[in-house]
Amino acid sequence: MINQEKLKAGYLFMFDYKKKGMHFFAALIFILAIFSVHFYFYLSGGYMTTRNTDATVQLLFFRYFLHHQFLNGDFFWSWKYGLGGDVFSNFSYYYSTSIFFLITLFLKFDTLQEVLHLNIIISSIKLFSAMIFMYALLQYNKRSYNASILGGLIYGGSTFFAGYSERFDFMAEAFVWLPLLILAYDRFLDENKKGFFIFMVFIVITTNFYFGFMSSVYLNIYAVFRYFLTSQPYSLKSFITYYIKLIKYYIVGFLLSAFAFFPTVYSFLHAGRFDKDYDIPLLYTNIFYHNVVYNFFYPYSASQTLGMSIVGLVAISLSVLYIKQKEMLVRLCLLIFMICLYFFPFAYSFFNGLSAMQPRWIYMLIFTCGMVAAYAIDFDKKDSKYRSFYLILIFAAFLLYVTYVPSPKDLLYDKLQIVFFAVLIGAFLLRFKIKRVFFLICIIIVAICSIGYNNFMMFTQDLGDYQTQKASTLQTFSGSGYDNEADKQVIQYIQQSDSSFYRIMWNQINKENIPLYYNYNGFSSYQSLIPNNVHSFFKETYNIAQMDSPSRYSNLDHRLYLETALMNKYYIVRSGDSFIPYGFTLLKELNGYKIYKNNHYLPVGFMYDQAISVEQFNQLDEVQKDQLMLQAAVVEQAGSLEKFNTKKLRSEVLFKGMDNVKLENIDKNGDVYTARPNASIQIPLNNKQVKAGETILKMNLKNLTTGSLMLNINGTNFEKRSVNNIYSYPKDNYAFNVQNLQNNRMINISLSPGQYSIKDVEVLFNSYEKYTDSVNELKQSELKNVHYDENSLQGKVNVRKSGLLFLSVPYSKGWHIKVDGKDTDFEQVNGTFIGVRLPKGKHDISMHYVTPYFKESTAISIFTAIGIVVVYLIKRRKKVKSSN
């Protein structure tokens, strides 16, 4: 049903265009609020970001990397991302389809610090958009000017928004689109305007599938409650008809976003993050419920803290006065429903895709609070029977607040809150006796002051005192791994002397994503959608020692056979490091680093003529698996490939069990070891003549303590997180390449205090005796004349004996491979990489990458868009005919 009242009022799109001056004044108020939110950074002059968190070891690099990729027209693949990976779908969780990121493509920046300069600008634009869109929604729904402004302030001024802008800026974008999505749905119901609703569904899903899911769930929840505000008779049949209308046009918007949604979901479902079980309790502990008022309105940055202005607390408290008003009752019930979700852990898991509990969905609760607060403020009941309730409810809100904030309290903040409350009490008691403009000015001032101070306190807690924040950020972002010219020159030296295709191993890398910025092909990544086959290669298939995390991998633990098979050509080692890579020649010492070049470099492709099955492979130990990498393939079906004799693989057992180890400050009970301070385990090794090779320590290790535990193995640290930590990797069997054995032939394991389960201890030796021969054999049929760009690779190979061309390129369905100009099937070999069966002879190899299902999904989007246009033209033509 078309809302004639709104049409008569002169609404153009979202705003009543007759009130242009008032809208302009509202925008000025929001700009003032934005200034108050970011006041900490105006004082400090520092960057709006945390230090040494995901914001700066993930997102900062991603924004720089994608900016340059997209400007160069490289949308689908990059060799700089990990071992090589999909750009469009793997990064769509972050920025690939983000409107606010795509806008930055019109800007130019060459350093990470230039990217950081944009943070506060983008945050301000997002915050203004969120506030003005909330204001537009409330104005469209005939809320007063006062209520619309306050609703926007309460929604956008939450520390939840600013906290995500600071730490996970891509997540803050969901704040912007939710008010527009609900506005579009309201217009759809009131005026039968389908286009805007379809467009907003398209925007919400396209920009981020993860938050698109959350906002879509909220849309459905809102639609259920909104049904009771329609004028139709209430019945199951009418509700089904009402709901089908929503679903029908939602599907159109969904199909329009197919080009972004389906490739991303495919990538999401094939990411290495789904092996962990999460224990989701029915309820939180009592302290959570005791602190609920604190979580809603206090200015600190706990993950479930909303940090709204106290104006919201007062307004929501007043809403109970008007529950006899149908619209107020329905919206208050919606708020109560959302608050109930806040109380139950399962909601945090559900909105995170039935995974670990995450509070990211709370922006929808804040939206509901802002909307209900605006409606509550708008009911101007002047009857005397209501006036007495004002004072009671406001004082009740005040007592509720001061009673449940945790101790020790911030005395300054408490004093300010008392002042804010006193002003609010006076304003609400006098709201019917003073001019509306004075009431508006009063509560706006309180709201902005409350918002500004809340956010100032939150940023102070996160980043420290504002007076030292600038110096801290400048020091951090000019250090190693960021805008450090000395580091950049090391990479530039290698690239200027060698323009061929290879990978570089940066020893003891401390930031996994620096290849994205320093522009080289490396062996590391920190990313939430790492493909499962790549992730498994490090953590499972070859059991390479890595950080205990489901989103990271970094280097190959100095395991030479694997490094060589994956075309490592250069090693960068700090000058003071005792590590010298075997078979490498020192090329140059530069800026505190030593650059080594591999004497036994293998290119991206070489031939196998023998293979073993996956079942046989799984029976091998880590040393045998490494040796196999330079001798035979691991395949599902051997076909014409000769079966490899695994008895040729040699691993020497140096130690086994725990009977002859020396324990210091450790209590042993079976396989359980309780470590006290200064605890250590010493494993003696046979004092044989030292040979070139690798010593691999294997063990089954479990953390039986609630907190994380730390091991130090001959000087190398390894953290084992608590199994309850949502970011711990579900793994118990580990292999460590033990360094520094030259002096006493002893493995020393230092343990932090705690309880461990340790069993299946074994020390293996991997000799380099046959390493050179294996490499030289593979060089006889290597891929030559290699040419590449970010989405393709070409080369030539002379096959002496029919077999399988191994390409150290992660397997993906997005690759299209041609042999001698003809499309060719390929398979996954060695658990992760690409294999192509080739007959004897000379062959030209070419491969090109497009994100899986991108073409098909884009076709769906295009046909949907064409369908929308066709339907629109047909209806328009019918309308013209009927009018004639």
Side-chain angles (χ1 to χ4, degrees), residues 314-356:
V314 173
I316 293 169
S317 301
L318 291 175
S319 64
V320 299
L321 291 176
Y322 314 115
I323 56 176
K324 290 184 179 180
Q325 298 287 334
K326 182 180 178 181
E327 188 163 21
M328 187 72 253
L329 176 62
V330 170
R331 296 186 186 275
L332 185 59
C333 287
L334 171 61
L335 176 59
I336 292 170
F337 177 81
M338 295 302 295
I339 291 175
C340 287
L341 293 182
Y342 179 82
F343 289 153
F344 290 97
F346 179 76
Y348 297 76
S349 173
F350 172 78
F351 284 112
N352 197 38
L354 294 176
S355 183

Side-chain angles (χ1 to χ4, degrees), residues 98-115:
S98 161
I99 291 176
F100 286 92
F101 167 74
L102 294 175
I103 290 172
T104 66
L105 295 181
F106 293 97
L107 305 175
K108 182 180 183 297
F109 45 78
D110 297 314
T111 67
L112 293 180
Q113 291 190 51
E114 289 176 347
V115 178

